[in-house]
Amino acid sequence: MNAFQPNRPWYRSPLSIAIASTLACVVAAPVMAQESPGPQAPTESASAERATTLDKVVVTANKRVENIRDVAASISVIGERQLENIGASSLADYAALIPGLQVQDSGSPGQTSVSLRGIAALSSGASVATYIDEVPVGSSGIYQGANTLMLDVLPYDISRVEVLRGPQGTLYGAGAIGGLLKYVTRAPDVSGDEFRLGFGLRTVEDGGQDLNVRFGASVPLKEDRLGLRMSFARNGLPGYTDNIIDGRKDINDGEQVGARAALFWDGDAFDLNLSVLDQRINADDRGGTALDPETLKPLFGDLVDRTWQRQPFSKDLTLTSLSLDWDLGWANLVSATGWSQTKTTTQMDSTIQFGEVANLLLELPDPGSSFLRYDFDLDKVTQEFRLSSKSGGPFEWLVGVFYTKEDALQSQFVWLGQLDGSPLPAPYDSMFSTLANLELPSTYKELAVFANASWRIGERFKIDAGVRQARNEQWFSQNVSEGILVPLGDAPGESSEDVFTWSLSPQFKLGDDSMVYARIATGYQPGGPNVALEGMPPKVDSSMLTSYELGLKSQFADQRVQLDLAAFRIDWDDIQVASSFNGVGGLVNGGEATSEGAELSALFRATDEWTVGFNVAYTRASIKNDFEPTVIPQGPFDVILYTGLAGDRMPYVPKLSWALTTEYAFTTQGGFNGQVGAALRGMGSRLNDTTELQRITAPGDPSTLLAEDQITPPLELDSYRALDLYAGIGKGGWELRVYANNITNEGAWSSLAPLNGALSGTPVQVVGVPIRPRTFGIEFDYRF
């Protein structure tokens, strides 16, 4: 037995009691993801309109409504019709539509890690911020697992999804270090009625099938003034992985349920929008495959996992938001208020990691079984006021203040029993069945002031600039009540920090339909008080980065060709990384990294009916220096851990990813309208982690080695290509759509996580989470 075999966490939560590899476990693009409006609802004039709508996509990246062609930043927009055509139910379904976006999941929505432009989720905080309309959702702190539990909204009653690449710290603040994901919901219609009913069926190759139902209604309560919108959707998630231990089939099935009610007042002086949104995700288990740790081949067959304990997952989000837009005549005053409650429970089988406590530590005849359960509760209140000038003048400005308060609780519980799931024999059951029971309450408060301005100089030149000054104050306590894995007792901590971010973006119009721009911007990922473990610093500082970008946006050939090109370099300092030993760990500020690359999006409308699109991203993201080591005293020796070495590639960042799309729209003489489309998407090879170096030295003397260095290299995920198809036809108010994603049933991994014994360090298996196998779906909608 070698007690010094490293166990590297993939689930990078502070005090991650189980090695985090436990948590680890197509999209067809109708047109170019960069900013295509997507196919229109079936109308007789749809084909005639397509060639003239390329330049009418609006975004709110600068917190004012603008044409996407006039914004000096890299933005992708996914429209409602695009999401419908491909049967999207999660971020993983449309990630390939967005250059530079990478998504890893554990077989169900909500168990998701997201990165943009190589800014990987190395710590427990989010690197991509999430907004629903005007309100940020999800935690800004480091104790809610935001890195691997990204909010994954069921995209129903969503007008569009905006993805802003690069740091957005000036206008969007904490967590937007890599970019922003913004869901824009559909507003009530104050001028007329709209009703929609729909249902569908989805089936997965060698897996299950499930039903989808949805309803939407928009009615004016006072014509041209007050409107009400209501919607409900239930989306079934058929499972497709089996468990060799208990024989269960299609264990990772689940469902998404979403409901929303919104009131909109369209007044002469002010507009008011009140919305309540509820989203729930429930999954029975995780989607994984047990792999040989040496060969990475399936141990028991394709899509067959090995777990002794069930692994359910649930996430409930309730968001209430109130926004006011008051026209003062000379400017607009906007108030955006949000209150959200998020409850997440995720349970993982930790038998491989901690089952050996029974035989190796307690000296029972056989190893046991174990599970680890995390509970995350978050109450978040946000308030933003901003005053902005009228649009269209040579000088536009915006000033604002933002406040947020988060009350959060993370609970961790580790149970140990016999291998068949029964309790340990007496007296061990009362003494050791609870390996750990702890709570991590925390609060996060932030107050920020920000300003943004743009100045047009002549007809061609414009310069944008922004600043933000923020201060956050945090409190945290580590309260351990039971167990043998973590020292008992309470250990509070607190921190505060001031952060300044800025942006500068000049642009020059080459003509009516072309411009070049440059953008320099900064962003940050908040730090906070750290867990109370020997060798860990009392707090971790914010991560900061600076992004440099050059871009071109152009339309030509009578606006039938659209071309967007961006090149970037990102310098990332004080990176927060997880460091753990024997399955217990916290955060440290590791060092520096760079990410540089280029992104291209092109759209060609060959005819009014036929569209071809292409997007590609090249990203080279790597660590500049060996990460700062963590020194963990172990009595007669010290363990020195390096969690990344110079030259390491960033986890789950391919050098090359791309998507080729096409769509043909048609109208028949009988009045039917429809479309057929396809997408071929490609993903380059990736690595699942950075390199870990473990060094054993004499106490206080790092130059005296007591054993050979142990190096754990990352695992490689192979490249793959997948083909998606879809078609739809409709007439009047009804529409029928079909889709087939991953039509060739490409086998590839979304993530890889090694599972080793926490005491012995013995590699037992690797869990590979597959991309979704071949999936067929049929959907019917009727609007009236």
Side-chain angles (χ1 to χ4, degrees), residues 206-254:
D206 294 327
Q209 59 185 24
D210 212 330
L211 294 171
N212 310 320
V213 295
R214 50 195 172 270
F215 165 78
S218 183
V219 294
L221 302 181
K222 181 177 175 59
E223 189 173 356
D224 296 328
R225 288 296 186 187
L226 181 64
L228 170 67
R229 184 172 193 88
M230 298 177 294
S231 66
F232 171 83
R234 188 269 179 187
N235 184 48
L237 301 169
Y240 47 85
T241 60
D242 304 333
N243 185 18
I244 190 68
I245 295 297
D246 56 18
R248 288 181 297 135
K249 303 292 185 181
D250 306 330
I251 62 175
N252 63 318
D253 58 354

Side-chain angles (χ1 to χ4, degrees), residues 328-344:
L328 302 176
W330 55 277
N332 282 77
L333 175 65
V334 173
S335 170
T337 307
W339 174 66
S340 62
Q341 286 185 309
T342 308
K343 296 183 180 297
T344 306

Side-chain angles (χ1 to χ4, degrees), residues 26-31 86 96-97 613 658-663 677-682 721-726 740-743:
V26 206
V27 286
V31 289
I86 63 177
L97 294 164
W658 53 272
L660 176 64
T661 67
T662 185
E663 179 181 282
L680 180 64
R681 48 193 168 95
R721 292 184 296 273
L723 176 65
D724 307 320
L725 305 173
Y726 66 89
N741 294 335
N742 191 8
I743 190 68

Side-chain angles (χ1 to χ4, degrees), residues 9-13 102 104 112-116 118-128 145-150 177 525 572 575-578 587 650-653 688-689:
W10 180 82
Y11 183 85
R12 299 172 181 269
S13 171
Q102 301 302 324
Q104 293 80 48
T112 308
S113 179
V114 177
S115 65
L116 281 165
I119 307 304
L122 294 176
S123 79
S124 55
S127 62
V128 177
N147 61 326
T148 54
L149 299 172
M150 183 85 170
I177 187 170
Q525 185 181 46
W572 193 1
I575 302 172
Q576 296 174 12
V577 295
L587 294 178
M650 279 294 175
Y652 294 107
V653 178
N688 79 318
D689 212 330

